[in-house]
Amino acid sequence: MPQENDPLDTLDDAVAAAAFRRLVRHLQHRHDAQNIDLMGLSGFCRNCLADWIRDAGYEGDKGAARALIHGMPMDEWKATRQSPATEEQLAAMEASVARNKPDLG
């Protein structure tokens, strides 16, 4: 959600889009960075990005949005890239997500 007088709102949309695509491609390449670890450190992950593009107007359903962000269907991602989460990872994720601002997702 835009905030009043937020300098990010002055960023050209084409520049922002290019940076977003670079971030997504980086995450597609770095599948060693597990979603659970991203959540534990930053409070967001690839699935959040998929939700955010839908919130921004992407017309695909949840599965299509996740496939776009992950670079493959979610079932394939889980089978080939996702490791089981440990109790420590789950606890870190819960603590991190609790720190998120409600209006930022």
Side-chain angles (χ1 to χ4, degrees):
M1 299 284 163
Q3 298 173 356
E4 191 173 329
N5 299 318
D6 187 338
L8 280 175
D9 292 335
T10 66
L11 185 61
D12 180 76
D13 286 348
V15 173
F20 173 78
R21 288 184 183 100
R22 185 173 180 181
L23 169 64
V24 170
R25 288 183 180 117
H26 180 77
L27 290 172
Q28 288 174 349
H29 173 73
R30 289 295 310 269
H31 53 82
D32 59 311
Q34 294 286 298
N35 278 346
I36 190 77
D37 292 324
L38 293 171
M39 290 294 290
L41 291 171
S42 62
F44 87 100
C45 69
R46 293 167 185 87
N47 296 336
C48 297
L49 289 173
D51 291 343
W52 297 346
I53 64 170
R54 290 185 71 216
D55 291 346
Y58 176 71
E59 293 185 7
D61 65 12
K62 188 175 190 172
R66 286 187 175 187
L68 181 68
I69 297 299
H70 286 79
M72 64 185 69
M74 194 66 201
D75 290 343
E76 183 180 344
W77 172 267
K78 285 182 179 182
T80 62
R81 307 284 196 267
Q82 185 170 304
S83 302
T86 65
E87 291 299 320
E88 293 82 14
Q89 287 172 313
L90 292 170
M93 177 193 71
E94 289 177 17
S96 180
V97 170
R99 296 177 56 201
N100 287 358
K101 289 178 73 173
D103 61 339
L104 294 181

